[in-house]
Amino acid sequence: MTVSTYIPADITDPELHASGEVHQLWRWMRQHSPVHWHEPGDLPGFWSLTRYDHIRYVYQHPDLYSSAHGVLLRPTVLGEDPGSGLTMALTDPPRHRALRGQVADRFTERCARSLADEMRTEIRSVVTRAIEKGACDVVQDVGARLSSYSIARLLGVEPADREQLLQWSTEAFESGKPLTSHVPLMRFFIDMMYARMATPAQDAMGMFVNNDVQGELLTETEILLGVENLVGASENAGLAMAAGVFALGTHPQQWQRLVRERDGELVRTAVEEVLRWTSSATHSMRTATVDTVVQGQRIAAGDRVVLWMPSANRDESVFAEPDRFDLGRQPNRHLALGAGEHVCIGSTMARHQMRMLLQTLAELVAAIEPAGDMEPLRSITVNGPAYATVRLVAQ
């Protein structure tokens, strides 16, 4: 079987992603080469999947497509992800289910509802502060702040330490390096881990430390990698919120619709459309466990398969007018938070937080006005603004 390696642009070029032109490439690939082989270079060779149905199928078949050998493209010289086989993101069932179950109680609908009043107060404070600034960076002043507060609360970080955690995690995120390479941040979590060993607690850190997985407690390395996994994933939620606010500012008719209908069903559909539109996780990778065939292409056991989620979420065969931002879009079965076994463990909490943010904005803000530059991230891993200046005009 002949495998074409031609595409009109380099899908691994961060500048292509920053410019937004990658959507044109994905559109071309969905039509002409939906299962596409990329020859090895600085990155290992891999298959690109760009159609919704193919990507959803891979998500739903962890027996055929494993997460245990890494879920992100890494330069060949770096070797395999050091967390492989150790964290929720980098394991397969049944180990994945056991690790997920260890902390699942902190991410349920019941838990989200129990935290609703605290979350609403926090969101109102953040939005009010952003309004008072006049012009604010929605990435740092809204998205990062809310996502950092949320994961800090779930881990059990004391309120007095949450601003420091925000600063450290922002520094690590901006450097593009693993959180484990940020020494003060990891010292903080190491101290917190030992504190939970001495005095158990029913927060996520306490559950990592004291709840067994398949009959055994996690090692210290596994605990810290698990914490890094959660904190890193929260950055995606922050990007989605920031990009969503910016999108509302550049789509005033949709914003006015939200203001008019903020107490109805529209808020729920708006959350899903923001998630689809922003698609803050750009790719996820799997490794084929057996020889498989997708769209006539033979994928060999051991081959890497990269799932491009923003492409799936703009697939014309699934979404009518996919390039239109429509807060009332129904149905909207996007893959922004994954699917199957690896659907984001924080998806319920993220939806609650985003719904409250949209309601609070609609209540307190008369207009969202772009007020300066928007600089996109240059990344093939996460999608969204590096910073975006807007003015939230008070009601």
Side-chain angles (χ1 to χ4, degrees), residues 77-98:
V77 296
L78 295 180
E80 195 168 279
D81 192 310
S84 293
L86 300 178
T87 69
M88 273 186 280
L90 298 171
T91 48
D92 301 318
R95 181 71 175 175
H96 171 78
R97 284 190 210 115

Side-chain angles (χ1 to χ4, degrees), residues 13-330:
D13 179 4
E15 293 295 332
L16 186 73
H17 290 258
S19 70
E21 293 176 6
V22 69
H23 283 286
Q24 298 173 26
L25 176 60
W26 283 326
R27 192 179 304 117
W28 185 94
M29 292 176 72
R30 289 195 298 270
Q31 181 178 355
H32 299 287
S33 190
V35 184
H36 187 90
W37 175 250
H38 302 261
E39 294 288 353
D42 293 339
L43 296 171
F46 65 94
W47 293 94
S48 272
L49 301 190
T50 48
R51 286 186 183 169
Y52 179 97
D53 288 345
H54 297 156
I55 291 173
R56 189 175 187 88
Y57 181 85
V58 169
Y59 268 130
Q60 293 178 328
H61 289 83
D63 54 328
L64 304 180
Y65 301 97
S66 170
S67 301
H69 303 286
V71 295
L72 295 175
L73 281 168
R74 288 165 55 87
T76 304
V77 296
L78 295 180
E80 195 168 279
D81 192 310
S84 293
L86 300 178
T87 69
M88 273 186 280
L90 298 171
T91 48
D92 301 318
R95 181 71 175 175
H96 171 78
R97 284 190 210 115
L99 286 168
R100 194 180 182 97
Q102 185 189 31
V103 294
D105 281 353
R106 300 304 299 164
F107 296 92
T108 61
E109 179 74 24
R110 176 178 55 81
C111 185
R113 288 180 176 175
S114 73
L115 294 170
D117 288 345
E118 182 180 347
M119 290 170 66
R120 193 173 288 109
T121 299
E122 187 174 84
I123 290 168
R124 193 177 186 91
S125 173
V126 167
V127 171
T128 299
R129 185 168 158 182
I131 291 171
E132 291 171 348
K133 286 188 74 170
C136 71
D137 171 17
V138 287
V139 177
Q140 189 64 24
D141 294 329
V142 178
R145 188 171 297 280
L146 287 177
S147 64
S148 180
Y149 286 175
S150 180
I151 199 63
R153 179 170 51 246
L154 293 169
L155 282 168
V157 176
E158 294 294 333
D161 293 325
R162 290 176 189 174
E163 278 296 315
Q164 182 64 77
L165 179 66
L166 169 62
Q167 179 183 333
W168 283 337
S169 58
T170 298
E171 289 169 357
F173 182 65
E174 288 178 345
S175 71
K177 296 179 180 178
L179 296 181
T180 47
S181 69
H182 195 291
V183 175
L185 178 63
M186 293 318 295
R187 281 179 180 158
F188 176 85
F189 283 132
I190 289 169
D191 289 344
M192 192 175 173
M193 173 178 68
Y194 288 141
R196 294 299 183 276
M197 289 178 180
T199 307
Q202 286 305 302
D203 49 44
M205 179 63 88
M207 291 175 174
F208 275 131
V209 169
N210 297 300
N211 290 1
D212 69 88
V213 176
Q214 296 176 312
E216 295 183 355
L217 294 176
L218 297 185
T219 66
E220 293 179 6
T221 297
E222 288 172 323
I223 292 167
L224 294 173
L225 286 172
V227 171
E228 178 190 30
N229 193 178
L230 291 183
V231 175
S234 75
E235 299 287 356
N236 281 18
L239 284 173
M241 285 188 281
V245 174
F246 190 78
L248 289 168
T250 55
H251 295 79
Q253 290 183 332
Q254 292 297 310
W255 164 249
Q256 290 302 324
R257 183 182 180 190
L258 179 66
V259 171
R260 291 194 306 269
E261 302 178 44
R262 65 178 179 267
D263 296 323
E265 176 63 20
L266 183 69
V267 174
R268 292 186 182 275
T269 61
V271 167
E272 301 308 320
E273 181 66 346
V274 166
L275 290 169
R276 181 195 75 90
W277 181 262
T278 60
S279 291
S280 59
T282 306
H283 83 264
S284 190
M285 187 177 72
R286 299 294 185 267
T287 300
T289 60
V290 297
D291 292 353
T292 62
V293 176
V294 181
Q295 193 74 26
Q297 298 285 14
R298 180 182 176 276
I299 297 175
D303 282 356
R304 294 168 176 83
V305 180
V306 172
L307 319 176
W308 297 102
M309 278 81 79
S311 177
N313 289 337
R314 303 243 182 146
D315 188 333
E316 303 84 351
S317 70
V318 176
F319 300 97
E321 298 182 79
D323 295 325
R324 180 167 59 90
F325 184 55
D326 177 8
L327 297 185
R329 183 182 294 276
Q330 293 190 79

